[in-house]
Amino acid sequence: MRPMRAALLWASTNPWLANRLPRHAFARRAVTRFMPGETLEHALTAALRLRDQGIPTILTQLGENVADAAAVGAVTDHYSHALDRIGAEGLDCYLSVKPTHLGLDLDYDLCLSSLEQLTGAAAAHRNLVWLDMESSTYTDATIRLFRSLRANYRNAGICLQANMRRTADDLASLLPLAPTVRLVKGAYAEAPAVAFADKGDVDAAYFSHAETLLRSANGATHQVIGFATHDGPLIRRIATAAEALGRRRNSFEVQMLYGIRSREQLQLAREGFRVRVLISYGEYWFPWYMRRLAERPANVWFVARSLVAR
Ligand SMILES: Cc1cc2nc3c(=O)[nH]c(=O)nc-3n(C[C@H](O)[C@H](O)[C@H](O)COP(=O)(O)OP(=O)(O)OC[C@H]3O[C@@H](n4cnc5c(N)ncnc54)[C@H](O)[C@@H]3O)c2cc1C
């Protein structure tokens, strides 16, 4: 792993930095590039703006590894309210949640019951809830949560990471469920024993899993395939593979993050791709922001510019 990326991923897990850096105005200025604001209303305003441009969205409140059951209750209430607000605005806008934000570290059953509450509420709104995939410590438990949810709800989705060596097996074991899957490259620092270190290997695995998903998707109700990446050439290779399999480019979603490759998002939408943008918001943005910087260390220059900007 490149040293700058490794340093940023290390910083993302450092509590001392997480406490101090967000207090600085320059850091708060810099993060606005990837985040419309800290509140749900900021996120909804951004989602309405994107809707006007023909782009549907996903919302996620930033937060992870909560410390107690009261915090889990607050996050669950927040997301229930978000579902109501999304419904009231008539937005095509999913939710995406981190299991550790809903207490996975504390109590598996508490986390599952919060997820069931949210997925049930989303079903009533004809909406969908995705499980983010966090570091490899949580992969087994997240897949278990997804399987439990899918026993009662078809409107649950899961994220799988192409950098993980196990993902081909995980995907094969989930395919009989006709799962809703978001494929990503993987944002966490992982040991070489569990994850590919070489970017070329990650990209090759991504394409291979994308082909598997495209081959297997049978148009089951509620099944959404999301290719979440900003890698334009990879998206176009996947579209070509889809066409060779007799599938249209709008039979899957291309999902990108708010503020990253915005022009390309619009261009792909104009070309007939189903583009969806994930909007993150919230006060607890430090670890998530460090992971965004690690994805493109050149972004650190934007932070440096914010340091001198008035
Ligand atoms: C909708 C969505 C949901 C995600 N959910 C998860 C999840 O649940 N779990 C998880 O582990 N990861 C998740 N990720 C992050 C993902 O794993 C990657 O870390 C991230 O998408 C960067 O990889 P890439 O696929 O864009 O490809 P890369 O090869 O890293 O990047 C392709 C090109 O995109 C541009 N780019 C990529 N990232 C940035 C950036 N931060 N800033 C500026 N330009 C950039 C660069 O120009 C780069 O050349 C998600 C990503 C998206 C888009």
Side-chain angles (χ1 to χ4, degrees), residues 133 161 182 185-187 199 229-230 261 292 295 299:
M133 188 59 82
Q161 298 155 322
R182 171 207 302 155
K185 290 193 186 177
K199 182 169 160 40
T229 179
H230 312 93
R261 299 255 157 138
R292 298 294 79 79
E295 284 158 3
N299 286 340

Side-chain angles (χ1 to χ4, degrees), residues 162-164 184-186 195-207:
N163 66 330
M164 299 293 293
V184 300
K185 290 193 186 177
F196 302 113
D198 184 77
K199 182 169 160 40
D201 291 339
V202 177
D203 291 355
Y206 193 110
F207 183 70

Side-chain angles (χ1 to χ4, degrees), residues 48-64:
L48 287 165
R49 213 178 309 123
L50 282 160
R51 179 179 68 179
D52 292 344
Q53 297 176 305
I55 298 195
T57 41
I58 310 173
L59 295 192
T60 195
Q61 190 198 28
L62 294 169
E64 44 202 89

Side-chain angles (χ1 to χ4, degrees), residues 15-35:
W16 188 87
L17 287 174
N19 257 329
R20 279 160 190 81
L21 262 185
R23 294 186 203 153
H24 293 278
F26 81 90
R28 300 173 82 85
R29 261 197 310 272
V31 78
T32 58
R33 185 166 169 243
F34 297 132
M35 193 177 86

